[in-house]
Amino acid sequence: MKIYVNFELPEEARRLLEGFEVVGPGGDLSEVEAALVTRLTPEELAKMPRLRFIQVALAGLDHLPWEHIPPNVVVAGNAGSNADAVAEFALGMLLAAYKKIVQYNERMKRGEYDRVYAVPMLRGRKVAVLGLGEIGTRVAKILAALGAEVWGFSRSRREGPWRFTTSLEEALRGASAAVCALPLNKHTRGLIRYEHLALMAEDAVFVNVGRAEVVDREGALRILKERPRFVFASDVWWGRNNFAKDAEFFALPNVVATPWVAGGYGSEEVWREMAVEAVKNLLAWARGETPKNIAKRSDYV
Amino acid sequence: MKIYVNFELPEEARRLLEGFEVVGPGGDLSEVEAALVTRLTPEELAKMPRLRFIQVALAGLDHLPWEHIPPNVVVAGNAGSNADAVAEFALGMLLAAYKKIVQYNERMKRGEYDRVYAVPMLRGRKVAVLGLGEIGTRVAKILAALGAEVWGFSRSRREGPWRFTTSLEEALRGASAAVCALPLNKHTRGLIRYEHLALMAEDAVFVNVGRAEVVDREGALRILKERPRFVFASDVWWGRNNFAKDAEFFALPNVVATPWVAGGYGSEEVWREMAVEAVKNLLAWARGETPKNIAKRSDYV
């Protein structure tokens, strides 16, 4: 079987593919049956008429050219492969903002030593976890261990140390904090609007480690301007890698911003694990087993 | 029994003292047998010849005028009463610094969007927890739940999800991070010196939420200047509330600083719980029971 791989695989992942004929960009793709990719263009797709399976090495699938993928091609993602990395980051963002660590540090660096913020308890407070996938469940479990009253929001019921709801309003009403780890698809695009954020506590912290587009940009901007004590802490931005497009957010004092690095940016360890997971899933498909993380085409098209 | 109280008690704590004769500052202290205090001066002590018990409402006891306290007076602290607050803060400081959230946020606010730091995993890394009291054990348990390899350092053995050691060197050698929650007493003053910090990883994060004086000031300064990737994240400073005295630390890019607020600064909830715990402990002593957190005089004198 010919497999198309369009990025450089770490050694450990490459070894798992021994015995298969691996074709890279520039090779003859006419006989390729499976593709292992990070991104994929319509042009690449057009060269693979016999393609039956796409394994994406990244967690998100929203960037694929879905309109160009034939309906009979199975697409699998890699959710969970860097979930530990993202969960650690999400907790760090939440606590850094909620406990006023970022805010006080900024002041100390300017020589402003007076204690202008109270430092609230997270224990006992309502915290919403939006999305109960691999990342959300990890975050929710640690928040529960810290004694927070965790509300888990998801389309389908998941059991865990949280109160489950399918209502975004119920999850966010009165919450002191929220962590958004929803995937981006046609159901979640623009899902979280001003009126949802406005349900949260006056001084709530909203953390996003999923995709920026899940949150309505203008709604976020409005709540931040209306409520100076509301904090928006996000690793993901609407301009994607063009951060300058969202500079008006970074200029606000109640924004904590990082440049899309939560998934273990620059960590060889994380990237190796992601690549190995992706190859293993592709091998499961090749053996005729059902791979993990099969995308629902109807979520995207 | 007459009880001296030298600070304003929250309502809930005051009610617990009904039935006792409470004397405040300015009252006749000659018959006082127990004192409930935050701080205490030699002058106050001199007015209480019949004093048998001092209940301190704060966690630390290092600020008491130990030389003036007669050896027959029992002193009890309030360790643990705000341990949840401090543990949340310590985890926030650790993750904010270790995951480069503070560092990236500072850059984003300056319009510097390039990804200059790798974001490492905490899972699987050696993390030292120095001091296994109420705060340290809470922090250690959450770190263990995050998958870190936790090493617990304490004078006396405590069991938990960590590798226990009485050797500071063993705890810190090769560690990616450390959280210091040691009390300040004559055994711990200046305990952590340059050579200990130098045992840690090149890009380690050292968090202090205990007392500044446990760490040798010049040693900390030296490691920060020698190792630009080493991060010192601290809520406590050698100048105590006179933060300007430690401004040379805040000027360093590898320092994360907060102004002694970890114990739930400004949180009525935390203060109420602390006061109630202190009164309950005093009542236990009044009933002839053994109160919690009795100080070892030999730790301070």
Side-chain angles (χ1 to χ4, degrees):
Chain A
M1 188 191 298
K2 277 198 182 173
I3 300 173
Y4 174 56
V5 181
N6 71 358
F7 63 99
E8 198 180 341
L9 278 174
E11 174 61 25
E12 195 180 333
R14 201 160 50 225
R15 259 187 279 121
L16 293 173
L17 281 178
E18 278 169 16
F20 290 88
E21 194 175 343
V22 174
V23 193
D28 175 10
L29 307 190
S30 60
E31 301 294 316
V32 160
E33 289 175 77
L36 172 59
V37 303
T38 49
R39 303 178 161 274
L40 195 61
T41 63
E43 293 69 37
E44 286 170 294
L45 278 165
K47 291 178 191 162
M48 299 185 279
R50 303 187 57 170
L51 189 67
R52 292 188 291 134
F53 182 66
I54 300 171
Q55 173 66 52
V56 180
L58 307 174
L61 295 171
D62 52 279
H63 61 285
L64 291 183
W66 282 99
E67 303 290 345
H68 298 269
I69 299 174
N72 64 308
V73 174
V74 174
V75 178
N78 203 6
S81 62
N82 67 345
D84 281 338
V86 181
E88 289 181 1
F89 200 91
L91 280 165
M93 273 205 140
L94 175 57
L95 288 169
Y98 188 75
K99 303 296 283 188
K100 310 293 181 209
I101 293 165
V102 171
Q103 296 90 329
Y104 268 123
N105 178 58
E106 279 178 11
R107 292 178 56 83
M108 297 291 275
K109 301 258 156 172
R110 287 197 300 261
E112 295 168 8
Y113 305 137
D114 43 325
R115 300 185 181 99
V116 293
Y117 307 109
V119 177
M121 292 295 299
L122 194 66
R123 183 204 65 195
R125 298 300 163 84
K126 178 173 178 178
V127 182
V129 175
L130 311 180
L132 294 171
E134 299 281 349
I135 296 164
T137 54
R138 282 166 170 77
V139 170
K141 283 175 187 172
I142 298 291
L143 290 173
L146 285 168
E149 179 193 311
V150 182
W151 286 69
F153 164 81
S154 179
R155 264 197 293 174
S156 52
R157 176 168 287 278
R158 302 273 163 88
E159 300 296 342
W162 51 73
R163 304 179 193 199
F164 177 79
T165 178
T166 55
S167 158
L168 193 54
E169 288 79 5
E170 189 178 35
L172 292 176
R173 187 172 292 116
S176 293
V179 175
C180 178
L182 287 164
L184 177 62
N185 56 45
K186 72 179 188 191
H187 306 291
T188 62
R189 185 176 295 271
L191 178 71
I192 298 160
R193 299 187 304 277
Y194 170 81
E195 57 264 39
H196 301 112
L197 300 173
L199 292 171
M200 300 181 72
E202 199 61 32
D203 58 350
V205 174
F206 187 93
V207 173
N208 195 1
V209 289
R211 285 288 183 269
E213 297 90 334
V214 169
V215 180
D216 176 65
R217 191 178 188 280
E218 296 317 306
L221 209 49
R222 184 174 158 202
I223 199 97
L224 286 165
K225 288 181 175 170
E226 282 181 13
R227 296 190 183 176
R229 295 167 65 213
F230 189 99
V231 179
F232 187 76
S234 188
D235 184 50
V236 286
W237 301 95
W238 296 270
R240 296 253 159 166
N241 280 310
N242 189 351
F243 298 106
K245 282 194 174 175
D246 294 302
E248 64 183 315
F249 279 87
F250 315 146
L252 296 172
N254 48 348
V255 165
V256 175
T258 52
W260 207 359
V261 292
Y265 173 78
S267 162
E268 276 180 41
E269 173 186 358
V270 174
W271 177 233
R272 189 174 60 243
E273 285 180 20
M274 291 181 77
V276 166
E277 276 302 304
V279 171
K280 283 184 177 169
N281 208 39
L282 185 150
L283 294 178
W285 171 83
R287 284 193 302 269
E289 297 165 18
T290 305
K292 290 190 292 186
N293 296 313
I294 294 182
K296 267 194 220 165
R297 186 180 173 81
S298 60
D299 281 352
Y300 299 94
V301 181
Chain B
M1 186 191 299
K2 278 197 180 174
I3 299 172
Y4 174 55
V5 181
N6 72 358
F7 63 100
E8 198 180 341
L9 279 173
E11 173 62 25
E12 194 180 333
R14 200 160 52 224
R15 261 187 277 120
L16 294 173
L17 281 177
E18 279 170 16
F20 291 87
E21 195 176 340
V22 174
V23 193
D28 175 10
L29 307 190
S30 59
E31 301 294 317
V32 159
E33 290 176 77
L36 172 60
V37 303
T38 49
R39 304 176 162 273
L40 196 61
T41 64
E43 294 69 37
E44 287 171 294
L45 278 165
K47 292 178 190 162
M48 299 185 279
R50 303 187 60 172
L51 188 67
R52 292 186 291 135
F53 182 66
I54 299 171
Q55 173 65 52
V56 180
L58 306 175
L61 296 171
D62 52 280
H63 62 285
L64 291 183
W66 282 99
E67 302 290 345
H68 297 269
I69 299 174
N72 64 311
V73 173
V74 174
V75 178
N78 202 7
S81 62
N82 67 345
D84 281 338
V86 181
E88 289 180 2
F89 199 91
L91 280 165
M93 273 205 140
L94 175 57
L95 288 169
Y98 188 76
K99 303 296 283 188
K100 309 294 182 209
I101 294 164
V102 171
Q103 297 89 329
Y104 269 124
N105 179 57
E106 280 179 10
R107 291 179 56 83
M108 297 290 275
K109 300 259 156 171
R110 287 197 300 261
E112 295 167 10
Y113 306 136
D114 43 326
R115 301 184 179 100
V116 293
Y117 308 109
V119 178
M121 292 295 300
L122 195 66
R123 183 204 65 195
R125 298 300 162 82
K126 178 173 178 178
V127 181
V129 175
L130 311 179
L132 293 172
E134 299 281 350
I135 297 163
T137 54
R138 281 167 170 77
V139 170
K141 283 175 188 173
I142 298 291
L143 291 173
L146 285 168
E149 179 194 309
V150 183
W151 286 70
F153 164 80
S154 180
R155 266 198 291 173
S156 52
R157 177 168 286 278
R158 302 272 165 88
E159 300 296 343
W162 50 73
R163 304 179 193 201
F164 178 79
T165 179
T166 55
S167 158
L168 193 53
E169 287 79 4
E170 190 178 32
L172 292 175
R173 187 171 293 118
S176 293
V179 174
C180 179
L182 287 163
L184 178 62
N185 56 45
K186 72 178 188 192
H187 306 291
T188 62
R189 187 176 293 273
L191 178 71
I192 297 160
R193 298 188 304 278
Y194 171 80
E195 56 264 40
H196 301 113
L197 300 173
L199 291 170
M200 298 181 74
E202 199 60 33
D203 59 349
V205 174
F206 187 93
V207 174
N208 195 2
V209 290
R211 285 288 182 267
E213 298 90 333
V214 169
V215 180
D216 177 64
R217 190 179 189 281
E218 296 317 305
L221 210 48
R222 184 175 158 201
I223 200 95
L224 286 166
K225 287 180 176 171
E226 282 181 13
R227 297 189 184 176
R229 294 168 65 214
F230 190 99
V231 178
F232 187 76
S234 190
D235 184 51
V236 287
W237 301 95
W238 295 270
R240 297 249 159 171
N241 280 310
N242 189 350
F243 299 106
K245 281 193 175 176
D246 295 301
E248 64 184 314
F249 278 87
F250 315 146
L252 295 172
N254 48 347
V255 165
V256 176
T258 52
W260 208 0
V261 292
Y265 172 79
S267 162
E268 275 181 41
E269 173 186 358
V270 174
W271 176 233
R272 188 174 62 242
E273 285 180 21
M274 291 182 76
V276 166
E277 276 303 303
V279 171
K280 283 185 178 168
N281 208 36
L282 186 150
L283 295 178
W285 172 83
R287 284 192 304 266
E289 297 165 18
T290 305
K292 291 189 293 185
N293 296 313
I294 293 183
K296 267 192 220 166
R297 186 180 173 82
S298 61
D299 281 352
Y300 299 94
V301 182

